[in-house]
Amino acid sequence: MQQTIQKKTPVTIVLFSGDMDKAMAAFVIATAAASMGMAVNIFFTFWGLNVIKKKGGLIKGQSWMQKMLNIVNYGHARKLALSKLTMLGMGPVMMKDMMSKKRVPSMDEFIKTAAALGVKFYPCEMSMTVMGLKKEDFIDECGEVIGAVSYLSIAKESNINLFI
């Protein structure tokens, strides 16, 4: 009987949304793929950077426009809104409560699990520059900061590419 050797299948996810439901979908897929032995890379760009921002800290940015953008876009994994039915902030609270009752991991737990499974997190250099953010503004699980060319080098080797 011949043994089949399972080859790692690279998965690349571009997370450009900072919505909780979309970020959760990305991490469900990432952790599932990683648990199946697939190499997984997540490229965080634009509002998706909120998912991997550190909690707290000062308002970032060099210009007044960057500072204003970061005031209205203040976020981190525990502060993500829903894409629909935000209901003045009650939507995310209700969703988190329902998920907790069904034993669905929190966003923080998904991030820790994904990192433990070897999922690589890459913040987008251009988005960070536009928003006035630096590498130290992000959680420790983040890998190197990369741009579009580096992302495309990773993506072209991937068998599965998803945009969320």
Side-chain angles (χ1 to χ4, degrees):
M1 183 176 197
Q2 188 179 13
Q3 267 189 334
T4 305
I5 298 172
Q6 182 152 6
K7 188 174 127 179
K8 280 195 163 201
T9 304
V11 177
T12 303
I13 300 171
V14 175
L15 184 56
F16 57 87
S17 173
D19 295 327
M20 182 177 77
D21 46 320
K22 294 175 184 177
M24 292 292 281
F27 275 88
V28 167
I29 293 167
T31 55
S35 70
M36 294 172 64
M38 298 178 187
V40 181
N41 302 289
I42 306 177
F43 182 63
F44 297 86
T45 188
F46 290 102
W47 310 127
L49 289 172
N50 284 340
V51 177
I52 54 171
K53 275 187 190 174
K54 286 182 181 173
K55 183 180 178 187
L58 301 171
I59 302 304
K60 306 295 179 183
Q62 290 80 39
S63 71
W64 70 270
M65 286 189 284
Q66 288 174 334
K67 288 178 182 174
M68 289 303 294
L69 178 66
N70 284 297
I71 288 171
V72 298
N73 188 40
Y74 178 75
H76 50 80
R78 284 180 235 130
K79 195 177 179 336
L80 302 176
L82 291 175
S83 61
K84 298 196 182 287
L85 304 173
T86 56
M87 299 182 289
L88 301 173
M90 285 304 299
V93 171
M94 292 167 39
M95 182 64 77
K96 287 176 188 176
D97 183 57
M98 290 187 300
M99 288 172 24
S100 174
K101 287 178 180 170
K102 296 295 181 184
R103 302 177 71 154
V104 174
S106 69
M107 195 70 240
D108 282 335
E109 291 169 320
F110 265 120
I111 290 169
K112 299 286 185 210
T113 301
L117 288 170
V119 174
K120 304 290 185 219
F121 303 161
Y122 297 105
C124 173
E125 181 178 37
M126 185 208 59
S127 297
M128 289 172 55
T129 300
V130 169
M131 295 179 181
L133 300 169
K134 296 186 176 2
K135 173 100 165 73
E136 55 269 14
D137 297 324
F138 298 98
I139 60 176
D140 295 336
E141 291 83 359
C142 286
E144 64 182 295
V145 174
I146 64 173
V149 171
S150 295
Y151 156 72
L152 288 169
S153 295
I154 294 168
K156 77 176 184 174
E157 301 300 322
S158 297
N159 294 334
I160 301 169
N161 287 289
L162 304 171
F163 297 83
I164 301 173

